[in-house]
Amino acid sequence: MVLGFAFAAGCMLAQRSSAAKSEVWVSSWGASQQIPEPQNALPVDDMRDATVRQIFHLSVGGRELRVHLSNAFGAEALHFTSVHVAHPLVNSAAAIDPASDRALSFAGNPDVTVPPGAEFVSDPLDDPVSPLSDVAVTFHLDDPPARETGHPGSRATTWYVHGDFASAANFADPKHVDHWYQISEIDVQAEPGAATVVALGDSITDGHASTTNGNDRWTDVLAQRLQGSTRTREISVSNQGIGGNHLLTDGLGPNVLARFDRDVLAPAGVKWVIVFEGVNDLGGLGLRLGDAATAADHAALVQRVLAAYQQIIERAHAHGLKVFGATITPYVGSGYYHPDAASEADRQAVNQWIRAPGHFDAVVDFDAVVRDPEHAERLLPAYDCGDHLHPSPAGYKAMGESIPLSLFKK
């Protein structure tokens, strides 16, 4: 009887071990990293002996999680004395459920020093999280970063205080900003067959004009829809949009080709990429040259944009990824770019190439979704946030709802 019990127990352990091995890590949340602009960086003195608490909205759930600390643009090694995760009481305040607080470890240690230009992944934490839930990550630094790494376009609030309060249930009189710092990804261990879709884009993917702490970017809408189907609920969404980003040149953050490896290939479990970039390149020609831009300048820009797309496709396919092209949305009337007829012709030429067979593996036609049927060069007023460039929350909702879930076949 004892031998039989031992044999049965051994079989059960082997089955659990086999099941655990078949589970996969996916990026349930992610954000592109960059050097925060001076107005978006935290003051050096505020980051000395500082505790920083940030809230992140997951896409898929899992039985374990791990957190990526980023020092991607740091000039010197950065020492995190402690890092904790917990369940926030709400996503718009610093309070957490103290019973849910857990300390992360790094190679078995409670602290970690991240080299310059690198990131460090925590040890897995057995702490089940639900799909579409929020996770608070809190870290303490003795010394500030020599150069900060972060994501200014968080559309989410970060709180910080002096002293080590990584496990505190709440902060007393904290300062706060709507930016993220030093955290690049949260992974979860999900069911077999789980995978990640990366959204590679600019401010329209980053969520400019979406609701602060509202999680209503088009990527959030897509994540909600994926959770609504039994066929796709193990598919996560990693938002790798940067406001002001370009395909061809460094704008706000590195250009797309420069950040491709870190933001597209590196996230856990990536299988698909939606590429939604180019409006800042097209609009930028007018900013640089104005009326002096010639027909040859416009033709050369279009060809360079298409060549960049081809590079993305080649590099994605080399790693077994499916890559979907999103058409560039209208921006005539933009008070920032002031696009003329030639710029609109450039947008139409690029979109024609995106839609043509033989380039991207599939097309996500955001242009068709948000344009005004009566004035195709402009956003539909109901989908325009008011600057004639960025969609409103209603526009983001329409975009997220337009993406065929059939694209994400396992």
Side-chain angles (χ1 to χ4, degrees), residues 4-324:
F5 175 78
F7 176 77
C11 288
M12 292 174 64
L13 287 171
Q15 289 171 354
R16 284 200 295 268
S17 176
S18 175
K21 288 180 180 177
S22 64
E23 292 181 338
V24 296
W25 288 102
V26 294
S27 174
S28 187
W29 170 89
S32 304
Q33 301 299 293
Q34 63 184 93
I35 302 171
E37 303 81 34
Q39 70 274 19
N40 294 326
L42 290 178
V44 172
D45 288 342
D46 285 354
M47 289 287 270
R48 183 172 286 108
D49 183 23
T51 298
V52 180
R53 177 165 291 167
Q54 305 174 88
I55 296 177
F56 307 104
H57 190 64
L58 302 182
S59 51
V60 302
R63 68 182 187 87
E64 293 186 342
L65 64 79
R66 61 189 186 189
V67 175
H68 294 233
L69 305 180
S70 180
N71 194 24
F73 295 94
E76 298 176 2
L78 182 61
H79 181 219
F80 293 79
T81 66
S82 60
V83 186
H84 285 233
V85 297
H87 302 303
L89 296 184
V90 294
N91 71 351
S92 56
I96 61 168
D97 173 8
S100 71
D101 181 73
R102 300 287 187 274
L104 292 176
S105 63
F106 301 85
N109 299 309
D111 67 325
V112 62
T113 298
V114 184
E119 71 174 28
F120 215 100
V121 185
S122 74
D123 300 333
L125 179 67
D126 188 0
D127 185 25
V129 290
S130 301
L132 306 177
S133 63
D134 296 319
V135 172
V137 179
T138 309
F139 64 77
H140 175 261
L141 302 173
D142 277 337
D143 298 310
R147 183 167 59 201
E148 291 175 16
T149 294
H151 187 84
S154 66
R155 278 88 208 178
T157 306
T158 289
W159 296 268
Y160 57 103
V161 293
H162 284 300
D164 188 349
F165 295 98
S167 62
N170 206 345
F171 291 168
D173 194 26
K175 294 182 179 179
H176 63 90
V177 292
D178 292 335
H179 312 301
W180 283 318
Y181 303 94
Q182 315 295 159
I183 307 290
S184 60
E185 186 171 329
I186 299 177
D187 302 333
V188 301
Q189 194 172 62
E191 295 297 321
T196 300
V197 53
V198 165
L200 180 66
D202 49 41
S203 58
I204 303 179
T205 296
D206 202 20
H208 180 90
S210 63
T211 308
T212 299
N213 299 315
N215 299 309
D216 53 8
R217 311 164 189 82
W218 68 262
T219 54
D220 297 312
V221 176
L222 174 60
Q224 292 168 3
R225 292 180 60 228
L226 290 167
Q227 283 300 311
S229 170
T230 56
R231 295 182 179 181
T232 58
R233 63 180 47 163
E234 297 301 329
I235 297 175
S236 64
V237 179
S238 177
N239 186 325
Q240 300 292 331
I242 294 180
N245 198 230
H246 294 197
L247 283 163
L248 304 173
T249 57
D250 289 351
L252 300 181
N255 68 78
V256 166
L257 298 184
R259 67 187 182 94
F260 186 86
D261 287 4
R262 181 175 61 246
D263 292 350
V264 175
L265 301 183
V270 61
K271 186 173 181 179
W272 307 276
V273 188
I274 300 175
V275 180
F276 185 30
E277 285 265 7
V279 68
N280 293 318
D281 298 270
L282 300 183
L285 181 64
L287 287 182
R288 293 194 309 274
L289 300 180
D291 294 338
T294 65
D297 292 327
H298 284 276
L301 173 62
V302 168
Q303 290 306 309
R304 291 186 66 209
V305 166
L306 301 185
Y309 287 155
Q310 289 174 319
Q311 285 290 301
I312 293 170
I313 294 168
E314 291 287 343
R315 292 169 69 178
H317 285 172
H319 290 269
L321 309 183
K322 293 288 187 180
V323 55
F324 310 140

Side-chain angles (χ1 to χ4, degrees), residues 204 279-280 282-283 298 328-348 351 367 370-372 374-381 383-391:
I204 303 179
V279 68
N280 293 318
L282 300 183
H298 284 276
I328 299 174
T329 49
Y331 66 109
V332 164
S334 163
Y336 184 71
Y337 283 130
H338 303 283
D340 57 14
S343 293
E344 172 61 11
D346 293 344
R347 186 181 74 89
Q348 295 292 346
N351 282 349
D367 170 44
V370 300
R371 70 190 180 208
D372 186 340
E374 302 298 323
H375 305 280
E377 75 282 3
R378 293 177 177 268
L379 290 170
L380 187 71
Y383 292 162
D384 188 341
C385 79
D387 67 3
H388 312 304
L389 171 63
H390 298 94

